[in-house]
Amino acid sequence: MTQTLKEKYQKEIRPALQKELDLSSIESAPKLEKITINTSSREFKTDKELLTKTKAWMSQITGQMPVETKAKHSIAAFNLREGEVVGLKVTLRGNRMYDFFQKLTSIVLPRIKDFQGVSRKTVDQNGNYTLGLSEQIVFPEVEYDKIGRIQGLEMTISTTAKDAKTSLMLLTALGMPFTKEN
């Protein structure tokens, strides 16, 4: 039976990170905190079928139902009213988070055409990594005939790392395929 990413992290990666970062406690080693996946479309307010289809494919790829995000303010220039649905989001924690991360790094990212790795530059100073995909059809669960239209999505991987360098070490150890450094 194959070892899950969470087990591998607890048995191999976390002790290695503790030793490499010279930390006194194993609990102070950086770890994944949550993964937030979101998408948005201006057509959600007019096309309820698109909203339903988007909810369906998001729940298929994440394993849980997405939450509607609504406009907080009315903006006349964007023809937007307060309370209208502007996007959908899912927050993954625990086992689902590790399973999604493993699927992302080993199945989804290699399916991208001409994939050379993901950028190291989108890690913020708090150690969170943001990755955007222009098409949801790279996920094997998404059937092209049932999605309505191609949509992009954004994933933010939140870690307990205190800085970008430590976060990159953690994500590299977990198997994130970064581009080669020059």
Side-chain angles (χ1 to χ4, degrees):
M1 188 167 151
T2 59
Q3 185 176 6
T4 66
L5 183 63
K6 186 174 183 179
E7 291 171 355
K8 182 178 178 185
Y9 169 75
Q10 290 175 340
K11 292 178 181 168
E12 300 170 21
I13 297 170
R14 190 161 73 163
L17 284 172
Q18 179 193 7
K19 191 174 188 179
E20 193 173 340
L21 295 169
D22 195 32
L23 301 170
S24 59
S25 170
I26 191 103
E27 292 300 320
S28 59
K31 62 184 175 198
L32 292 180
E33 194 173 358
K34 65 182 176 179
I35 297 177
T36 307
I37 300 110
N38 61 52
T39 187
S40 63
S41 175
R42 64 176 12 173
E43 280 88 36
F44 283 162
K45 65 181 181 181
T46 57
D47 190 357
K48 298 300 177 191
E49 184 181 347
L50 176 65
L51 180 64
T52 305
K53 288 180 178 180
T54 304
K55 280 184 182 181
W57 66 256
M58 278 190 80
S59 62
Q60 284 179 333
I61 65 172
T62 60
Q64 67 187 52
M65 200 65 176
V67 176
E68 294 178 353
T69 55
K70 299 185 178 188
K72 293 181 182 175
H73 306 286
S74 295
I75 304 172
F78 295 124
N79 196 17
L80 184 67
R81 303 285 169 252
E82 183 178 340
E84 289 180 343
V85 177
V86 292
L88 297 170
K89 74 172 182 174
V90 175
T91 302
L92 301 173
R93 298 177 196 272
N95 291 336
R96 281 194 181 146
M97 171 187 63
Y98 282 101
D99 291 343
F100 181 82
F101 187 86
Q102 188 170 14
K103 177 174 65 171
L104 178 71
T105 57
S106 62
I107 298 171
V108 175
L109 292 177
R111 288 181 64 163
I112 296 174
K113 185 177 181 182
D114 298 331
F115 182 68
Q116 300 294 319
V118 293
S119 174
R120 297 173 180 270
K121 296 178 179 151
T122 58
V123 178
D124 64 12
Q125 68 268 15
N126 297 325
N128 302 319
Y129 184 77
T130 303
L131 173 67
L133 296 176
S134 57
E135 299 178 338
Q136 80 273 38
I137 57 174
V138 293
F139 285 91
E141 300 91 349
V142 177
E143 294 180 39
Y144 184 74
D145 299 334
K146 296 181 180 178
I147 58 172
R149 68 180 178 96
I150 301 293
Q151 266 180 277
L153 62 145
E154 179 189 65
M155 293 164 276
T156 302
I157 301 166
S158 301
T159 66
T160 59
K162 302 289 186 230
D163 59 4
K165 181 180 167 245
T166 310
S167 178
L168 284 171
M169 288 173 63
L170 169 67
L171 293 172
T172 303
L174 288 170
M176 182 64 87
F178 289 109
T179 54
K180 304 286 186 254
E181 290 186 66
N182 295 337

